């Protein structure tokens, strides 16, 4: 991820506000030559001019205004995160320094994020390609500037304190915002080499996500799409921390927290599924007693489909043999090699059904056994043009799914 020097960002912001290097110098406590050099380095890193140098001052260019907005948002994340860290630290008996975000360096912020991911100073240093003493010094300088305890040594390694967790989340969001700023400028310059990072839950991997990716990359072949698989809680955490751009899959009701928003693409019916030559295959009006007599393979607890499975057998004995797994590959193999049943969606068995391997049973399921499938986004997230196009591709793929063209 590309992260500019935060001192350069502050200088850029003040030059844009005052329209002069001399005016900015007093605000950021740097010499005029230092500010001039900061702007030049930032322009070199971005590959574009941020200002028009005119007789009436430094006027932001079109790309300068675009990156200024991203910079303001990034610095706003850091400011809010620092205030939240001080608030949390005060509850723990710490003092904290007001406005310490104005003093933070990129090296210190990178160190915080690296330790948050690695849980170890040595591993964090290796991951970012610097020496362990250098990273350790940056991390401790961050503690000194903030006046807060940020790192706690445990038997497992280094843990972030609650104040550090709040600050780290804000820093990751700031880094993600700046990366989007780089991508926006590249798009303006005719370079569409952005990377979209998508968190993918199991269901959309079968049709909706591949269809959307193919739609996008046919139009924009240079765009890179990185798909991250994992449990909902892990992907949800990564979304909120700016590690992924959006999350696609089964939506939650209610929304877990108010800093995200959800958009439904389509609703997916659940089916009781077995191999095509299962003893219950072809039988009409299968009852719950029939289903309870067979072993099952079901998703793990705290997933929407598992909640529907538990609801299905509510008030009656559960099947005697249950295997729990979040892997559809494993569940498919269990079904093909045994009499096990599963509760899953029509989309997730699309290929197996077309190949004649798995089929739904004739079960009259209770009302409401549908799962809303859609997109989860950070509230207030500002997608780039390419990211917006990808959202449209997901919506188009969702409409095709809802219309039955995925079946």
């Amino acid at each position: 991820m590309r992260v500019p020097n935060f001192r350069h960002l502050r200088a850029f912001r003040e030059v844009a506000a005052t329209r002069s290097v001399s005016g900015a110098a007093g605000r950021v406590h740097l010499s005029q030559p230092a500010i001039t050099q900061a702007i030049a380095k930032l322009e070199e890193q971005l590959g574009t001019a941020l200002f028009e140098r005119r007789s009436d001052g430094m006027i932001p260019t079109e790309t300068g205004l675009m990156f200024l907005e991203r910079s303001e948002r990034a610095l706003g994340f850091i400011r809010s995160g620092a205030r939240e860290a001080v608030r949390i630290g005060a509850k723990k008996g710490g003092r904290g320094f007001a406005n310490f975000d104005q003093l933070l360096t990129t090296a210190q912020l990178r160190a915080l994020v690296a330790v948050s991911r690695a849980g170890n100073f040595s591993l964090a240093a290796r991951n970012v390609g610097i020496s362990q003493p250098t990273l350790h010094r940056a991390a401790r300088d961050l503690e000194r500037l903030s006046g807060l305890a940020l790192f706690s040594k445990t038997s497992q390694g280094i843990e972030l304190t609650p104040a550090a967790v709040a600050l780290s989340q804000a820093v990751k969001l700031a880094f993600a915002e700046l990366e989007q700023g780089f991508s926006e400028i590249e798009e303006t310059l005719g370079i569409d080499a952005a990377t979209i990072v998508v968190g993918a839950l199991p269901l959309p991997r079968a049709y909706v996500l591949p269809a959307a990716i193919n739609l996008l990359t046919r139009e924009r072949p240079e765009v890179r799409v990185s798909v991250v698989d994992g449990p909902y809680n892990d992907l949800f955490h990564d979304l909120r921390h700016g590690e992924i751009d959006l999350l696609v899959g089964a939506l939650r009701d209610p929304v877990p927290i108010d800093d995200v928003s959800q958009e439904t693409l389509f609703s997916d019916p659940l089916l009781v599924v077995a191999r095509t030559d299962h003893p219950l295959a072809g039988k009409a009006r299968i009852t719950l007693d029939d289903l309870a007599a067979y072993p099952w393979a079901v998703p793990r607890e705290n997933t929407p489909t598992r909640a529907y499975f538990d609801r299905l057998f509510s008030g009656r004995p559960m099947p005697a043999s249950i295997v729990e797994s979040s892997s559809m590959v494993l569940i498919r193999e269990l079904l093909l090699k045994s009499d096990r049943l599963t509760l899953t969606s029509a989309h997730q068995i699309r290929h197996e059904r077309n190949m004649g391997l798995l089929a739904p049973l004739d079960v009259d399921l209770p009302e409401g056994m549908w799962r809303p499938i859609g997109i989860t986004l950070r509230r207030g997230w500002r997608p780039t043009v390419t990211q917006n196009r990808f959202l449209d591709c997901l919506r188009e793929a969702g409409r095709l799914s809802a219309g039955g063209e995925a079946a």
Side-chain angles (χ1 to χ4, degrees):
M1 184 173 286
R2 296 165 290 186
V3 182
N5 186 305
F6 269 74
R7 286 176 176 165
H8 295 172
L9 285 182
R10 296 185 193 105
F12 166 53
R13 177 181 61 183
E14 296 307 330
V15 171
T18 62
R19 297 197 171 189
S20 74
V21 171
S22 59
R27 293 193 179 193
V28 293
H29 308 295
L30 291 173
S31 68
Q32 292 186 41
I35 291 181
T36 299
Q37 186 179 46
I39 298 301
K41 287 185 175 180
L42 194 55
E43 289 179 326
E44 180 182 3
Q45 190 175 8
L46 291 164
T48 188
L50 297 174
F51 294 99
E52 292 180 41
R53 279 76 169 172
R54 301 190 331 202
S55 58
D56 58 342
M58 302 272 285
I59 310 301
T61 61
E62 181 181 348
T63 52
L65 289 172
M66 290 170 55
F67 196 69
L68 177 63
E69 185 173 356
R70 293 292 182 181
S71 298
E72 292 280 16
R73 285 170 61 86
L75 291 168
F77 281 128
I78 301 293
R79 182 171 57 253
S80 298
R83 290 175 179 172
E84 180 65 7
V86 169
R87 186 189 68 80
I88 294 171
K91 288 185 176 181
K92 301 293 183 180
R95 47 197 177 99
F97 298 131
N99 302 321
F100 75 86
D101 59 290
Q102 298 294 317
L103 305 174
L104 297 178
T105 67
T106 304
Q108 292 161 0
L109 299 177
R110 281 188 180 276
L112 175 65
V113 170
V115 175
S116 77
R117 290 170 177 161
N120 176 283
F121 283 123
S122 297
L123 182 57
R126 192 178 310 127
N127 289 344
V128 295
I130 61 176
S131 69
Q132 192 270 350
T134 299
L135 183 132
H136 188 271
R137 183 168 56 252
R140 293 309 181 191
D141 284 347
L142 178 56
E143 282 191 313
R144 178 179 55 80
L145 284 174
S146 67
L148 300 168
L150 300 176
F151 307 101
S152 175
K153 192 172 183 179
T154 70
S155 57
Q156 286 77 38
I158 300 296
E159 286 186 358
L160 269 60
T161 64
V165 169
L167 181 59
S168 174
Q169 180 179 5
V171 173
K172 290 174 184 176
L173 292 173
F175 285 2
E177 192 72 36
L178 292 168
E179 178 61 32
Q180 288 184 286
F182 277 92
S183 296
E184 273 183 335
I185 287 180
E186 287 173 340
E187 289 172 3
T188 302
L189 298 176
I191 305 167
D192 200 353
T195 297
I196 301 174
V197 185
V198 185
L201 295 170
L203 186 141
R205 298 175 203 159
Y207 174 77
V208 173
L209 192 52
I213 292 172
N214 284 335
L215 281 171
L216 179 71
T217 53
R218 276 196 292 268
E219 297 175 8
R220 305 176 183 220
E222 294 182 349
V223 172
R224 298 181 297 274
V225 181
S226 176
V227 179
V228 181
D229 302 333
Y232 178 82
N233 288 341
D234 291 351
L235 295 176
F236 188 69
H237 172 276
D238 288 350
L239 175 72
R240 295 184 63 235
H241 285 74
E243 306 278 10
I244 61 177
D245 297 317
L246 62 147
L247 174 57
V248 186
L251 303 181
R252 267 46 182 178
D253 184 20
V255 178
I257 195 166
D258 62 5
D259 62 5
V260 301
S261 61
Q262 298 184 149
E263 175 186 341
T264 300
L265 295 175
F266 63 95
S267 291
D268 191 50
L270 291 172
L271 308 169
V272 177
V273 173
R275 71 175 197 273
T276 51
D277 58 347
H278 191 279
L280 292 178
K283 180 177 179 179
R285 298 181 181 179
I286 297 171
T287 67
L288 289 179
D289 289 337
D290 293 328
L291 299 178
Y294 286 90
W296 281 71
V298 297
R300 296 176 64 83
E301 292 184 353
N302 299 317
T303 61
T305 301
R306 179 56 182 271
Y308 283 122
F309 172 78
D310 293 341
R311 173 185 162 192
L312 186 64
F313 288 98
S314 177
R316 61 173 54 241
M318 285 280 187
S321 175
I322 294 177
V323 173
E324 297 179 335
S325 175
S326 59
S327 170
M328 191 59 202
V329 174
L330 175 61
I331 290 177
R332 180 192 65 191
E333 292 303 309
L334 289 171
L335 266 60
L336 292 174
K337 301 294 195 308
S338 73
D339 288 341
R340 287 189 186 275
L341 307 174
T342 194
L343 185 67
T344 190
S345 72
H347 283 81
Q348 280 185 284
I349 62 161
R350 175 175 175 266
H351 297 301
E352 291 81 2
R353 193 173 181 180
N354 289 341
M355 295 170 65
L357 300 175
L358 301 177
L361 300 179
D362 183 12
V363 179
D364 187 15
L365 293 175
E367 287 291 323
M369 296 199 84
W370 293 71
R371 293 188 306 174
I373 307 302
I375 308 165
T376 305
L377 303 171
R378 292 189 298 276
R379 194 174 293 280
W381 180 60
R382 286 279 313 280
T384 65
V385 171
T386 299
Q387 289 167 338
N388 249 328
R389 179 59 191 134
F390 183 62
L391 292 174
D392 287 340
C393 291
L394 283 169
R395 294 176 184 118
E396 186 173 345
R399 285 193 293 271
L400 294 174
S401 296
E405 295 184 40

